[in-house]
Amino acid sequence: MRPAFDPTLYLVTDTALAGPRGVPDVVRAAVAGGVTAVQVRDKTASCRQLYALTLSVKEVLAGTGVALFVNDDVEVALMAGADGVHVGQDDTPAAEVRARIGPDRLLGLSAGSDEELAVALALPPGTVDVVGIGPVWSTPTKPDAGTGLGPERVAALAAEAAAGGLRSVAIGGIDVERAPLVTGVDGICVVSAVCAAPDPAAAARALRAAR
Ligand code: TZP
Ligand code: MG
């Protein structure tokens, strides 16, 4: 069976921003503060490092009911026994990822435009579980994500996704001040607002309270 997944507050990890505290400890605190889903993302890690990091985060999440995704790397996700994978539209095509992960894991797909959302909506039902819409605002965390769509555009894309049976999370530049401006989605996704926070538990609590 496909794991349960609550997209309300979705944390994407950043090893550099977590700093000496380490990603697993930041995740532990973030979950205590109310994070409901976690994606391990580290573009600089080798497969082996990403695998080790995923296993450490999986240990932290054991028994919490918080779903664990791995960014991009299907093999690492499978080897580590993660709940799911998240891919962008320049990565392995979603249909291929679904074939590789089988029916019992979650699949997230990025959608930053009408065209990209159309790709997600054209896939057979059950291929994709959640679309990541963004960036809502441009963000130093991912400079190449480009200009922000703005919250109105994001809400429109989220409505289209929902009409097609897809859940959505918004990503990019979301912090505690901006969180209330993001509407129409099933959840918000943050990197720096939690990973760079001096107190990740308090940051997660504040984000939950802001919505
Ligand atoms: N994809 C689109 S924007 C982004 C990703 C991974 C980074 C979001 O980071 P932050 O720090 O929450 O703005
Ligand atoms: Mg990717």
Side-chain angles (χ1 to χ4, degrees), residues 87-109:
V87 292
Q89 297 216 4
D90 296 332
D91 301 316
T92 312
E96 203 177 302
V97 177
R98 173 55 68 198
R100 280 162 77 184
I101 63 177
D104 297 337
R105 285 178 217 275
L106 297 158
L107 176 56
L109 179 65

Side-chain angles (χ1 to χ4, degrees), residues 9-13 18 21-39 57 60-61 64 66 190-208:
L9 179 57
Y10 184 148
L11 171 68
V12 176
T13 70
R21 301 171 293 185
V23 165
D25 276 359
V26 168
V27 168
R28 186 176 292 108
V31 169
V35 157
T36 59
V38 173
Q39 180 190 134
V57 172
V60 168
L61 296 181
T64 63
V66 170
V190 298
V191 183
S192 56
V194 166
C195 287
D199 183 343
R205 261 194 301 277
L207 284 160
R208 287 294 299 263

Side-chain angles (χ1 to χ4, degrees), residues 10 15 44 55 115-116 119 135 140:
Y10 184 148
T15 305
T44 64
L55 285 185
E115 293 69 30
E116 289 192 347
V119 169

Side-chain angles (χ1 to χ4, degrees), residues 43 71-72 88 91:
K43 298 287 196 188
N71 182 265
D72 283 356
D91 301 316

